[in-house]
């Protein structure tokens, strides 16, 4: 469980960095940078908004 939380926290950090570098980037661009699905990017973005 802790390992999964750590992995999610790492992806959140990567998402924040990618959003800063590609501020006008779409979810599709972010998925290419992070190598994850678009659905996962949407989920992470929602998590950041909380």
């Amino acid at each position: 469980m802790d390992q999964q939380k750590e992995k999610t926290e790492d992806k959140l950090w990567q998402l924040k960095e990618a959003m800063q570098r590609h501020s006008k980037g779409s979810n599709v661009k972010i998925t290419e940078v992070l190598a994850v699905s678009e659905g996962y990017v949407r989920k992470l973005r929602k998590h950041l908004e909380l």
Side-chain angles (χ1 to χ4, degrees):
M1 183 73 170
D2 291 330
Q3 199 172 25
Q4 183 65 29
K5 186 175 180 179
E6 187 175 315
K7 183 178 177 182
T8 301
E9 292 296 322
D10 184 49
K11 286 294 183 184
L12 284 169
W13 180 83
Q14 289 178 6
L15 175 62
K16 288 178 192 177
E17 292 293 312
M19 287 171 60
Q20 287 177 351
R21 286 190 211 124
H22 308 282
S23 61
K24 295 184 180 185
S26 65
N27 282 353
V28 174
K29 178 65 178 173
I30 301 296
T31 61
E32 292 172 3
V33 172
L34 297 181
V36 295
S37 71
E38 188 175 352
Y40 191 59
V41 169
R42 284 193 301 267
K43 180 180 175 181
L44 289 173
R45 283 185 183 227
K46 284 182 184 179
H47 187 72
L48 286 176
E49 292 173 359
L50 298 176

